[in-house]
Amino acid sequence: MSTVVLQTLETTPQRELVPLRWYAPRNVVRFLLPVAALAAWQTGSATGLIQSQTLPSPTEVARTFVELFDTGDLQAAMPASLARAGAGLFLGLLIGIAFGLINGLSRFAEEIFDSTFQIVRLVPFIALVPLFIIWFGIGEEPKIILITLACVFPAYLNTYAGVRNVDSRLVEAARTFGLSPLQITFQVLLPAALPSVLVGVRYSMGISLLALIVAEQTNSRAGIGYLIFVASGAMRIDMVVACVLIYAALGIVIDLVMRLIEKSALPWR
Amino acid sequence: MNVATNPRQLVANDDGEPALVSEFLAADRREPVVHFTGVAKKFGTQTILDKVDLTLRQGEFVALLGASGSGKTTLLRILAGLDQANEGDLRVAPNRSVVFQEHRLLPFRRAWRNVLLGTRFGRNARAVAEKALAEVGLAAKANSWPKHLSGGEAQRVALARALVRAPALLLLDEPFAALDALTRIRMHALVEALWAEHKPAVLIVTHDVDEAILLADRILVLKDGRFSLDIDVSPALVRNRKAQEDAAEDVNHLKHRLLSELGVSTGAQIQ
């Protein structure tokens, strides 16, 4: 008979379940790296390691924010930029979601439109900026059209996939309960596709910001991009950095807003 | 007789209340809810259903057995109106409902709204749905999202959804296959009780020979696209656990006969 040496398995004492608070260690750890980076930046600037002409210190940037606010430049630039991004986003979502739904629901529509959408999608929208300036001038139109174009595809692709990927077994069940194709569309397909549509909206919002930045860099007379243009011309690095931070903040706000919308629109998830 | 236009008069009145069934107990007086003759279905060169005849009468509880690929699911899908046969004369009661192996509840509707899918009960719809959920023991879960229901609970909601429209024919496509053994036992009792209460004709597709013997009064075996067996469970044993335990030998005999028909050889055959 061979001998069997039994292995001892470890035990752990039962852990108390405490509600997670914001200052719980794992939440604090998340902020460690960003805070450390900020501290390093400030220290580097204070010791002269980072030249103010290269990258102004955090406190300088903060002062610039106050300056931008006091002069009213910020209050003038934000609405201009948001209106541009909002208009382009609205049009892009309208077109993208509409075609996503039509092509997702109808095989015939898909055959007509989808290949064209896929071709246009592959053109990097940034490459079209010079063309748009020639076609539409240097006013607001090329900017809004550029943002619209950028926003169409995330909305289109996600809506289309959302409708197409609805569990066919749900549709079958609905058919056995006598729902008409129209009822199935409104009571099964569209609600089931909504999460995917909202993902598309979120992507479009993100990309509207990107397109906004690109669009505003050329011949703007208002907006955050115009501020950057003026500031870089005047060698005001602090102001450029401040404006970049505004773009970043907008991105965060967009994400938060979309999370709220998703939470309230999809309580069943 | 025109089954398609006059299918439910004997089972339920217009309020959806079960009528007196005792007066129709004589088999010959129960009207068919399914009448298939020469039904054939092919996929490519493969014959799934080979000119099948089938009659199901009101209140019958029929189990359909068959190995994988025997065509039993195809038959059920044709009965449900999800697939079309290639040829044959097919008559079936219009008010029929299906419970699938998966619950197939709409994830974005609460339980009671799932029950009402495609129905028109008007202002007292919610009360109707809650009554149906109470019948399957889920009154407390009316407001739950499907995601928060257990497998057994979700399947019970699916049963309530099927029964709320007072079907003349209830089609069950391996409804308990995905449930754990204990839940399955509870579901057997529940389905039996619901059938006794509402008396729809039931066709249950299953792999499980024991389940068929336990629940059905008639068992069909589908093999190579044809019914190779169509037998009645002896009346003394039908849905009677006690009698089935007492007559274990008869039950085993039936079980082995079904299994051998399904191509599973058992020791008892050799004896």
Side-chain angles (χ1 to χ4, degrees), chain B residues 100-174:
Chain B
F100 299 91
Q101 183 175 336
E102 325 83 25
H103 56 73
R104 302 201 186 186
L105 300 177
L106 299 179
F108 43 83
R109 284 187 174 213
R110 295 180 192 273
W112 70 275
R113 297 244 302 125
N114 257 295
V115 169
L116 294 175
L117 178 66
T119 60
R120 277 171 215 217
F121 289 108
R123 289 176 60 198
N124 60 344
R126 168 129 203 181
V128 172
E130 280 176 350
K131 185 164 165 268
L133 284 169
E135 273 196 88
V136 297
L138 284 179
K141 301 274 184 175
N143 262 326
S144 297
W145 300 107
K147 192 186 170 188
H148 297 139
L149 299 172
S150 71
E153 286 170 343
Q155 203 60 322
R156 271 145 71 195
V157 175
L159 259 177
R161 178 173 68 173
L163 284 169
V164 80
R165 40 215 98 211
L169 174 62
L170 177 61
L171 299 163
L172 307 175
D173 186 8
E174 302 188 40

Side-chain angles (χ1 to χ4, degrees), chain B residues 4-256:
Chain B
T5 57
N6 193 15
R8 55 181 277 187
Q9 56 183 7
L10 295 182
V11 171
N13 60 29
D14 284 336
D15 304 327
E17 296 292 328
L20 281 176
V21 176
S22 52
E23 54 184 296
F24 305 112
L25 273 182
D28 52 316
R29 292 189 59 186
R30 297 188 297 183
E31 292 198 22
V33 290
V34 174
H35 193 74
F36 277 13
T37 13
V39 172
K41 174 75 176 175
K42 284 180 187 168
F43 286 122
T45 55
Q46 201 182 355
T47 302
I48 307 296
L49 293 175
D50 188 7
K51 301 218 169 82
V52 166
D53 299 335
L54 175 65
T55 302
L56 299 181
R57 291 180 184 277
Q58 291 173 320
E60 265 191 311
F61 201 130
V62 180
L64 175 59
L65 291 166
S68 298
S70 59
K72 58 188 192 306
T73 297
T74 304
L75 183 63
L76 183 125
R77 289 178 60 85
I78 290 172
L79 281 165
L82 291 173
D83 281 344
Q84 290 196 344
N86 300 128
E87 56 183 272
D89 182 40
L90 301 92
R91 289 160 197 261
V92 59
N95 54 337
R96 51 199 192 274
S97 46
V98 192
V99 177
F100 299 91
Q101 183 175 336
E102 325 83 25
H103 56 73
R104 302 201 186 186
L105 300 177
L106 299 179
F108 43 83
R109 284 187 174 213
R110 295 180 192 273
W112 70 275
R113 297 244 302 125
N114 257 295
V115 169
L116 294 175
L117 178 66
T119 60
R120 277 171 215 217
F121 289 108
R123 289 176 60 198
N124 60 344
R126 168 129 203 181
V128 172
E130 280 176 350
K131 185 164 165 268
L133 284 169
E135 273 196 88
V136 297
L138 284 179
K141 301 274 184 175
N143 262 326
S144 297
W145 300 107
K147 192 186 170 188
H148 297 139
L149 299 172
S150 71
E153 286 170 343
Q155 203 60 322
R156 271 145 71 195
V157 175
L159 259 177
R161 178 173 68 173
L163 284 169
V164 80
R165 40 215 98 211
L169 174 62
L170 177 61
L171 299 163
L172 307 175
D173 186 8
E174 302 188 40
F176 316 126
L179 301 177
D180 68 82
L182 295 178
T183 308
R184 200 177 309 152
I185 292 171
R186 282 193 211 105
M187 291 293 282
H188 286 159
L190 177 64
V191 164
E192 192 184 320
L194 291 171
W195 171 83
E197 169 79 19
H198 298 279
K199 283 282 158 57
V202 177
L203 182 74
I204 177 169
V205 167
T206 178
H207 274 115
D208 187 341
V209 171
D210 296 311
E211 186 170 280
I213 296 172
L214 189 63
L215 290 174
D217 38 42
R218 181 179 160 204
I219 301 177
L220 302 169
V221 177
L222 199 58
K223 195 158 97 180
D224 302 329
R226 288 176 162 275
F227 289 117
S228 66
L229 202 63
D230 180 351
I231 48 174
D232 292 331
V233 178
S234 92
L237 299 179
V238 170
R239 283 179 294 278
N240 188 334
R241 280 178 184 73
K242 179 85 173 56
Q244 291 197 2
E245 277 170 29
D246 292 345
E249 207 166 307
D250 292 349
V251 172
N252 271 334
H253 179 75
L254 175 60
K255 186 173 162 181
H256 292 307

